Amino acid sequence: MRYKDTSDLEISLLLEAVYRKYGYDFRQYSQAHIRRRIMNRMAISGFEDVSQIQSKVLNDEPFASELLQDLSITVTEMFRDPAFYRSLREKVIPILKTYPFIKIWHAGCATGEEAYSMAILLQEEGLYDRTTIYATDFNQLALNRAKEGIFSNKMIKEYTTNYQLSGGKESFSSYYTSNYDNVIMNQSLKKNIVWANHNLVTDSVFAEVHLILCRNVLIYFDKNLQNKVQSLFYNSLINGGVLCLGSKESLRFTDFYEEYIELDTKQRIFKKKY
Ligand SMILES: C[S@@+](CC[C@H](N)C(=O)[O-])C[C@H]1O[C@@H](n2cnc3c(N)ncnc32)[C@H](O)[C@@H]1O
């Protein structure tokens, strides 16, 4: 491939260097996303061009982990998109109730809010005791925070509203204890969550999963990489298993669109055909 713009070429070389030295593969992430994040890092750290970042990344591991943090966006919420969780209750829970045990995979769980939301929903639907939730991300710092289950008090008002709009059946405050500026999620929510480092670009399938949530992750990937990850999901799901994507994500332009039926088009919930 020939590059007209020198900074595009430098970015491509930087991503190649990150991959070869550290094994993190951003080469097929959306160009616009990567460019925005790298330009941001240049401005913060006072670099004049991308090649200076490359040299620093290769020789300075703490800087490399800072850059990895820059490239992974971990913004998340409890009960993000409440209408999605309402649909999950109405359309997916009845399917899950037919299984004697349930495996759920949250791919790209960030700091864990999505997995805790799922644990709450499953408790309320009487399914949590027969479920294992695998919550994975390639960002170890985010995973460490997820495991702790400690969130800022400042977010609780918004999370409580989300929970109520999502069809929550209890008082949201019964799921955590307050501790100064933070809340600590109940131990009973954590007991069936397995937190694991997993890279969607380079690691392999999870076998025999009933439900996969990969929301607001694939928007950062280019078309080829989205297709590759969809193959991973297809091979991880049981027949009749359910796949949930984010509100701006789609199966439509992947090789797998015909392999699913749409359970809820607007909320991006798909069921794998038998
Ligand atoms: C914006 S957050 C989405 C969090 C949550 N799913 C939600 O919708 O609120 C995207 C997450 O995807 C993770 N991610 C990005 N690339 C990844 C990869 N190759 N493998 C695993 N996780 C990845 C990031 O580290 C980040 O935590």
Side-chain angles (χ1 to χ4, degrees), residues 174-199:
S174 62
Y175 293 110
Y176 59 80
T177 47
S178 293
N179 186 12
Y180 301 101
D181 295 340
N182 296 317
V183 301
I184 305 169
M185 301 314 289
N186 290 354
Q187 195 55 38
S188 70
L189 296 172
K190 295 181 182 171
K191 67 177 183 170
N192 294 349
I193 306 180
V194 178
W195 306 99
N197 194 310
H198 179 278
N199 189 331

PDB file of all heavy atoms in Angstrom, residues 174-199:
ATOM      1  N   SER A 174     -30.082  -1.184  46.791  1.00  0.00           N
ATOM      2  CA  SER A 174     -29.905  -2.456  47.505  1.00  0.00           C
ATOM      3  C   SER A 174     -28.745  -3.271  46.906  1.00  0.00           C
ATOM      4  O   SER A 174     -28.384  -4.320  47.434  1.00  0.00           O
ATOM      5  CB  SER A 174     -31.203  -3.273  47.464  1.00  0.00           C
ATOM      6  OG  SER A 174     -31.529  -3.587  46.133  1.00  0.00           O
ATOM      7  N   TYR A 175     -28.169  -2.792  45.807  1.00  0.00           N
ATOM      8  CA  TYR A 175     -27.089  -3.558  45.158  1.00  0.00           C
ATOM      9  C   TYR A 175     -25.683  -3.081  45.505  1.00  0.00           C
ATOM     10  O   TYR A 175     -24.703  -3.600  44.980  1.00  0.00           O
ATOM     11  CB  TYR A 175     -27.280  -3.534  43.633  1.00  0.00           C
ATOM     12  CG  TYR A 175     -28.524  -4.284  43.228  1.00  0.00           C
ATOM     13  CD1 TYR A 175     -29.637  -3.620  42.732  1.00  0.00           C
ATOM     14  CD2 TYR A 175     -28.599  -5.661  43.390  1.00  0.00           C
ATOM     15  CE1 TYR A 175     -30.788  -4.304  42.387  1.00  0.00           C
ATOM     16  CE2 TYR A 175     -29.750  -6.357  43.050  1.00  0.00           C
ATOM     17  CZ  TYR A 175     -30.832  -5.675  42.559  1.00  0.00           C
ATOM     18  OH  TYR A 175     -31.970  -6.361  42.228  1.00  0.00           O
ATOM     19  N   TYR A 176     -25.579  -2.068  46.361  1.00  0.00           N
ATOM     20  CA  TYR A 176     -24.235  -1.586  46.716  1.00  0.00           C
ATOM     21  C   TYR A 176     -24.254  -1.012  48.126  1.00  0.00           C
ATOM     22  O   TYR A 176     -25.315  -0.752  48.687  1.00  0.00           O
ATOM     23  CB  TYR A 176     -23.759  -0.507  45.723  1.00  0.00           C
ATOM     24  CG  TYR A 176     -24.664   0.709  45.638  1.00  0.00           C
ATOM     25  CD1 TYR A 176     -24.613   1.738  46.597  1.00  0.00           C
ATOM     26  CD2 TYR A 176     -25.583   0.829  44.609  1.00  0.00           C
ATOM     27  CE1 TYR A 176     -25.449   2.840  46.517  1.00  0.00           C
ATOM     28  CE2 TYR A 176     -26.431   1.932  44.519  1.00  0.00           C
ATOM     29  CZ  TYR A 176     -26.361   2.935  45.473  1.00  0.00           C
ATOM     30  OH  TYR A 176     -27.197   4.011  45.402  1.00  0.00           O
ATOM     31  N   THR A 177     -23.054  -0.846  48.691  1.00  0.00           N
ATOM     32  CA  THR A 177     -22.954  -0.085  49.934  1.00  0.00           C
ATOM     33  C   THR A 177     -22.116   1.167  49.662  1.00  0.00           C
ATOM     34  O   THR A 177     -21.175   1.129  48.856  1.00  0.00           O
ATOM     35  CB  THR A 177     -22.283  -0.898  51.062  1.00  0.00           C
ATOM     36  OG1 THR A 177     -21.113  -1.501  50.514  1.00  0.00           O
ATOM     37  CG2 THR A 177     -23.181  -1.988  51.601  1.00  0.00           C
ATOM     38  N   SER A 178     -22.486   2.253  50.315  1.00  0.00           N
ATOM     39  CA  SER A 178     -21.759   3.511  50.089  1.00  0.00           C
ATOM     40  C   SER A 178     -20.550   3.565  51.006  1.00  0.00           C
ATOM     41  O   SER A 178     -20.588   3.087  52.137  1.00  0.00           O
ATOM     42  CB  SER A 178     -22.660   4.703  50.402  1.00  0.00           C
ATOM     43  OG  SER A 178     -23.683   4.743  49.460  1.00  0.00           O
ATOM     44  N   ASN A 179     -19.483   4.138  50.487  1.00  0.00           N
ATOM     45  CA  ASN A 179     -18.259   4.257  51.268  1.00  0.00           C
ATOM     46  C   ASN A 179     -17.589   5.572  50.856  1.00  0.00           C
ATOM     47  O   ASN A 179     -16.953   5.621  49.811  1.00  0.00           O
ATOM     48  CB  ASN A 179     -17.361   3.047  50.965  1.00  0.00           C
ATOM     49  CG  ASN A 179     -16.143   3.020  51.827  1.00  0.00           C
ATOM     50  OD1 ASN A 179     -16.051   3.759  52.804  1.00  0.00           O
ATOM     51  ND2 ASN A 179     -15.185   2.178  51.470  1.00  0.00           N
ATOM     52  N   TYR A 180     -17.775   6.626  51.664  1.00  0.00           N
ATOM     53  CA  TYR A 180     -17.270   7.960  51.315  1.00  0.00           C
ATOM     54  C   TYR A 180     -17.732   8.351  49.906  1.00  0.00           C
ATOM     55  O   TYR A 180     -18.928   8.378  49.649  1.00  0.00           O
ATOM     56  CB  TYR A 180     -15.747   8.035  51.470  1.00  0.00           C
ATOM     57  CG  TYR A 180     -15.313   7.710  52.882  1.00  0.00           C
ATOM     58  CD1 TYR A 180     -14.801   6.460  53.192  1.00  0.00           C
ATOM     59  CD2 TYR A 180     -15.463   8.650  53.908  1.00  0.00           C
ATOM     60  CE1 TYR A 180     -14.434   6.151  54.491  1.00  0.00           C
ATOM     61  CE2 TYR A 180     -15.099   8.343  55.208  1.00  0.00           C
ATOM     62  CZ  TYR A 180     -14.583   7.097  55.493  1.00  0.00           C
ATOM     63  OH  TYR A 180     -14.235   6.790  56.764  1.00  0.00           O
ATOM     64  N   ASP A 181     -16.744   8.593  48.981  1.00  0.00           N
ATOM     65  CA  ASP A 181     -17.108   9.085  47.646  1.00  0.00           C
ATOM     66  C   ASP A 181     -17.473   7.967  46.673  1.00  0.00           C
ATOM     67  O   ASP A 181     -17.721   8.218  45.496  1.00  0.00           O
ATOM     68  CB  ASP A 181     -15.925   9.853  47.037  1.00  0.00           C
ATOM     69  CG  ASP A 181     -15.634  11.101  47.844  1.00  0.00           C
ATOM     70  OD1 ASP A 181     -16.534  11.546  48.582  1.00  0.00           O
ATOM     71  OD2 ASP A 181     -14.504  11.606  47.744  1.00  0.00           O
ATOM     72  N   ASN A 182     -17.460   6.736  47.172  1.00  0.00           N
ATOM     73  CA  ASN A 182     -17.648   5.603  46.262  1.00  0.00           C
ATOM     74  C   ASN A 182     -18.798   4.704  46.687  1.00  0.00           C
ATOM     75  O   ASN A 182     -19.291   4.813  47.809  1.00  0.00           O
ATOM     76  CB  ASN A 182     -16.382   4.733  46.240  1.00  0.00           C
ATOM     77  CG  ASN A 182     -15.206   5.484  45.681  1.00  0.00           C
ATOM     78  OD1 ASN A 182     -15.333   6.187  44.683  1.00  0.00           O
ATOM     79  ND2 ASN A 182     -14.069   5.367  46.330  1.00  0.00           N
ATOM     80  N   VAL A 183     -19.170   3.819  45.773  1.00  0.00           N
ATOM     81  CA  VAL A 183     -20.063   2.721  46.165  1.00  0.00           C
ATOM     82  C   VAL A 183     -19.347   1.412  45.843  1.00  0.00           C
ATOM     83  O   VAL A 183     -18.553   1.337  44.904  1.00  0.00           O
ATOM     84  CB  VAL A 183     -21.414   2.770  45.416  1.00  0.00           C
ATOM     85  CG1 VAL A 183     -22.135   4.084  45.676  1.00  0.00           C
ATOM     86  CG2 VAL A 183     -21.257   2.527  43.931  1.00  0.00           C
ATOM     87  N   ILE A 184     -19.636   0.400  46.675  1.00  0.00           N
ATOM     88  CA  ILE A 184     -19.015  -0.922  46.458  1.00  0.00           C
ATOM     89  C   ILE A 184     -20.134  -1.896  46.109  1.00  0.00           C
ATOM     90  O   ILE A 184     -21.103  -2.038  46.867  1.00  0.00           O
ATOM     91  CB  ILE A 184     -18.303  -1.396  47.735  1.00  0.00           C
ATOM     92  CG1 ILE A 184     -17.301  -0.321  48.175  1.00  0.00           C
ATOM     93  CG2 ILE A 184     -17.618  -2.744  47.504  1.00  0.00           C
ATOM     94  CD1 ILE A 184     -16.731  -0.564  49.560  1.00  0.00           C
ATOM     95  N   MET A 185     -20.004  -2.535  44.960  1.00  0.00           N
ATOM     96  CA  MET A 185     -21.058  -3.459  44.516  1.00  0.00           C
ATOM     97  C   MET A 185     -21.079  -4.686  45.433  1.00  0.00           C
ATOM     98  O   MET A 185     -20.038  -5.143  45.915  1.00  0.00           O
ATOM     99  CB  MET A 185     -20.823  -3.912  43.066  1.00  0.00           C
ATOM    100  CG  MET A 185     -20.779  -2.781  42.041  1.00  0.00           C
ATOM    101  SD  MET A 185     -22.087  -1.547  42.191  1.00  0.00           S
ATOM    102  CE  MET A 185     -23.521  -2.482  41.640  1.00  0.00           C
ATOM    103  N   ASN A 186     -22.286  -5.222  45.657  1.00  0.00           N
ATOM    104  CA  ASN A 186     -22.447  -6.368  46.561  1.00  0.00           C
ATOM    105  C   ASN A 186     -21.648  -7.588  46.102  1.00  0.00           C
ATOM    106  O   ASN A 186     -21.587  -7.882  44.904  1.00  0.00           O
ATOM    107  CB  ASN A 186     -23.917  -6.793  46.621  1.00  0.00           C
ATOM    108  CG  ASN A 186     -24.759  -5.759  47.341  1.00  0.00           C
ATOM    109  OD1 ASN A 186     -24.227  -4.797  47.875  1.00  0.00           O
ATOM    110  ND2 ASN A 186     -26.063  -5.971  47.338  1.00  0.00           N
ATOM    111  N   GLN A 187     -21.118  -8.285  47.095  1.00  0.00           N
ATOM    112  CA  GLN A 187     -20.363  -9.510  46.822  1.00  0.00           C
ATOM    113  C   GLN A 187     -21.231 -10.526  46.063  1.00  0.00           C
ATOM    114  O   GLN A 187     -20.749 -11.246  45.189  1.00  0.00           O
ATOM    115  CB  GLN A 187     -19.889 -10.086  48.164  1.00  0.00           C
ATOM    116  CG  GLN A 187     -18.812 -11.141  48.073  1.00  0.00           C
ATOM    117  CD  GLN A 187     -17.583 -10.653  47.301  1.00  0.00           C
ATOM    118  OE1 GLN A 187     -17.163  -9.494  47.410  1.00  0.00           O
ATOM    119  NE2 GLN A 187     -17.015 -11.553  46.499  1.00  0.00           N
ATOM    120  N   SER A 188     -22.529 -10.545  46.382  1.00  0.00           N
ATOM    121  CA  SER A 188     -23.405 -11.549  45.756  1.00  0.00           C
ATOM    122  C   SER A 188     -23.484 -11.356  44.236  1.00  0.00           C
ATOM    123  O   SER A 188     -23.804 -12.281  43.499  1.00  0.00           O
ATOM    124  CB  SER A 188     -24.814 -11.482  46.358  1.00  0.00           C
ATOM    125  OG  SER A 188     -25.438 -10.287  45.942  1.00  0.00           O
ATOM    126  N   LEU A 189     -23.163 -10.136  43.752  1.00  0.00           N
ATOM    127  CA  LEU A 189     -23.183  -9.904  42.303  1.00  0.00           C
ATOM    128  C   LEU A 189     -21.892 -10.410  41.650  1.00  0.00           C
ATOM    129  O   LEU A 189     -21.859 -10.737  40.472  1.00  0.00           O
ATOM    130  CB  LEU A 189     -23.321  -8.408  41.997  1.00  0.00           C
ATOM    131  CG  LEU A 189     -24.607  -7.727  42.449  1.00  0.00           C
ATOM    132  CD1 LEU A 189     -24.515  -6.217  42.259  1.00  0.00           C
ATOM    133  CD2 LEU A 189     -25.819  -8.277  41.689  1.00  0.00           C
ATOM    134  N   LYS A 190     -20.832 -10.439  42.469  1.00  0.00           N
ATOM    135  CA  LYS A 190     -19.520 -10.770  41.899  1.00  0.00           C
ATOM    136  C   LYS A 190     -19.298 -12.270  41.780  1.00  0.00           C
ATOM    137  O   LYS A 190     -18.444 -12.716  41.015  1.00  0.00           O
ATOM    138  CB  LYS A 190     -18.392 -10.224  42.791  1.00  0.00           C
ATOM    139  CG  LYS A 190     -18.362  -8.723  42.870  1.00  0.00           C
ATOM    140  CD  LYS A 190     -17.206  -8.271  43.756  1.00  0.00           C
ATOM    141  CE  LYS A 190     -17.183  -6.766  43.879  1.00  0.00           C
ATOM    142  NZ  LYS A 190     -16.239  -6.279  44.874  1.00  0.00           N
ATOM    143  N   LYS A 191     -20.090 -13.032  42.562  1.00  0.00           N
ATOM    144  CA  LYS A 191     -19.671 -14.434  42.782  1.00  0.00           C
ATOM    145  C   LYS A 191     -19.612 -15.275  41.504  1.00  0.00           C
ATOM    146  O   LYS A 191     -18.790 -16.173  41.419  1.00  0.00           O
ATOM    147  CB  LYS A 191     -20.549 -15.095  43.851  1.00  0.00           C
ATOM    148  CG  LYS A 191     -21.980 -15.283  43.428  1.00  0.00           C
ATOM    149  CD  LYS A 191     -22.794 -16.000  44.479  1.00  0.00           C
ATOM    150  CE  LYS A 191     -24.173 -16.182  43.883  1.00  0.00           C
ATOM    151  NZ  LYS A 191     -25.083 -16.972  44.502  1.00  0.00           N
ATOM    152  N   ASN A 192     -20.430 -14.996  40.503  1.00  0.00           N
ATOM    153  CA  ASN A 192     -20.394 -15.813  39.280  1.00  0.00           C
ATOM    154  C   ASN A 192     -19.789 -15.085  38.083  1.00  0.00           C
ATOM    155  O   ASN A 192     -20.032 -15.454  36.941  1.00  0.00           O
ATOM    156  CB  ASN A 192     -21.807 -16.301  38.921  1.00  0.00           C
ATOM    157  CG  ASN A 192     -22.335 -17.269  39.960  1.00  0.00           C
ATOM    158  OD1 ASN A 192     -21.585 -17.725  40.817  1.00  0.00           O
ATOM    159  ND2 ASN A 192     -23.612 -17.568  39.917  1.00  0.00           N
ATOM    160  N   ILE A 193     -19.038 -14.033  38.372  1.00  0.00           N
ATOM    161  CA  ILE A 193     -18.368 -13.332  37.254  1.00  0.00           C
ATOM    162  C   ILE A 193     -16.894 -13.742  37.221  1.00  0.00           C
ATOM    163  O   ILE A 193     -16.193 -13.648  38.225  1.00  0.00           O
ATOM    164  CB  ILE A 193     -18.447 -11.790  37.386  1.00  0.00           C
ATOM    165  CG1 ILE A 193     -19.898 -11.317  37.566  1.00  0.00           C
ATOM    166  CG2 ILE A 193     -17.832 -11.126  36.161  1.00  0.00           C
ATOM    167  CD1 ILE A 193     -20.052  -9.792  37.704  1.00  0.00           C
ATOM    168  N   VAL A 194     -16.450 -14.206  36.049  1.00  0.00           N
ATOM    169  CA  VAL A 194     -15.035 -14.536  35.856  1.00  0.00           C
ATOM    170  C   VAL A 194     -14.441 -13.426  34.989  1.00  0.00           C
ATOM    171  O   VAL A 194     -14.864 -13.231  33.845  1.00  0.00           O
ATOM    172  CB  VAL A 194     -14.901 -15.893  35.112  1.00  0.00           C
ATOM    173  CG1 VAL A 194     -13.439 -16.230  34.864  1.00  0.00           C
ATOM    174  CG2 VAL A 194     -15.607 -17.001  35.880  1.00  0.00           C
ATOM    175  N   TRP A 195     -13.497 -12.689  35.546  1.00  0.00           N
ATOM    176  CA  TRP A 195     -12.852 -11.591  34.799  1.00  0.00           C
ATOM    177  C   TRP A 195     -11.620 -12.139  34.108  1.00  0.00           C
ATOM    178  O   TRP A 195     -10.822 -12.821  34.757  1.00  0.00           O
ATOM    179  CB  TRP A 195     -12.447 -10.455  35.739  1.00  0.00           C
ATOM    180  CG  TRP A 195     -13.563  -9.936  36.584  1.00  0.00           C
ATOM    181  CD1 TRP A 195     -13.810 -10.267  37.891  1.00  0.00           C
ATOM    182  CD2 TRP A 195     -14.599  -9.026  36.203  1.00  0.00           C
ATOM    183  NE1 TRP A 195     -14.939  -9.598  38.333  1.00  0.00           N
ATOM    184  CE2 TRP A 195     -15.440  -8.831  37.318  1.00  0.00           C
ATOM    185  CE3 TRP A 195     -14.902  -8.341  35.016  1.00  0.00           C
ATOM    186  CZ2 TRP A 195     -16.556  -7.996  37.302  1.00  0.00           C
ATOM    187  CZ3 TRP A 195     -16.007  -7.509  34.997  1.00  0.00           C
ATOM    188  CH2 TRP A 195     -16.824  -7.340  36.115  1.00  0.00           C
ATOM    189  N   ALA A 196     -11.445 -11.878  32.825  1.00  0.00           N
ATOM    190  CA  ALA A 196     -10.268 -12.444  32.145  1.00  0.00           C
ATOM    191  C   ALA A 196      -9.751 -11.506  31.070  1.00  0.00           C
ATOM    192  O   ALA A 196     -10.519 -10.825  30.392  1.00  0.00           O
ATOM    193  CB  ALA A 196     -10.635 -13.782  31.517  1.00  0.00           C
ATOM    194  N   ASN A 197      -8.417 -11.510  30.932  1.00  0.00           N
ATOM    195  CA  ASN A 197      -7.802 -10.733  29.863  1.00  0.00           C
ATOM    196  C   ASN A 197      -7.942 -11.517  28.562  1.00  0.00           C
ATOM    197  O   ASN A 197      -7.499 -12.662  28.464  1.00  0.00           O
ATOM    198  CB  ASN A 197      -6.329 -10.474  30.199  1.00  0.00           C
ATOM    199  CG  ASN A 197      -5.755  -9.396  29.315  1.00  0.00           C
ATOM    200  OD1 ASN A 197      -5.891  -9.454  28.088  1.00  0.00           O
ATOM    201  ND2 ASN A 197      -5.157  -8.392  29.919  1.00  0.00           N
ATOM    202  N   HIS A 198      -8.577 -10.916  27.586  1.00  0.00           N
ATOM    203  CA  HIS A 198      -8.785 -11.580  26.290  1.00  0.00           C
ATOM    204  C   HIS A 198      -8.756 -10.507  25.213  1.00  0.00           C
ATOM    205  O   HIS A 198      -9.423  -9.482  25.338  1.00  0.00           O
ATOM    206  CB  HIS A 198     -10.142 -12.299  26.294  1.00  0.00           C
ATOM    207  CG  HIS A 198     -10.457 -12.994  25.004  1.00  0.00           C
ATOM    208  ND1 HIS A 198     -10.979 -12.339  23.911  1.00  0.00           N
ATOM    209  CD2 HIS A 198     -10.326 -14.291  24.636  1.00  0.00           C
ATOM    210  CE1 HIS A 198     -11.149 -13.209  22.927  1.00  0.00           C
ATOM    211  NE2 HIS A 198     -10.765 -14.398  23.339  1.00  0.00           N
ATOM    212  N   ASN A 199      -7.966 -10.771  24.173  1.00  0.00           N
ATOM    213  CA  ASN A 199      -7.857  -9.818  23.070  1.00  0.00           C
ATOM    214  C   ASN A 199      -8.650 -10.346  21.877  1.00  0.00           C
ATOM    215  O   ASN A 199      -8.370 -11.436  21.375  1.00  0.00           O
ATOM    216  CB  ASN A 199      -6.376  -9.641  22.713  1.00  0.00           C
ATOM    217  CG  ASN A 199      -6.174  -8.505  21.718  1.00  0.00           C
ATOM    218  OD1 ASN A 199      -7.052  -8.204  20.901  1.00  0.00           O
ATOM    219  ND2 ASN A 199      -5.017  -7.884  21.792  1.00  0.00           N
TER     220      ASN A 199
END
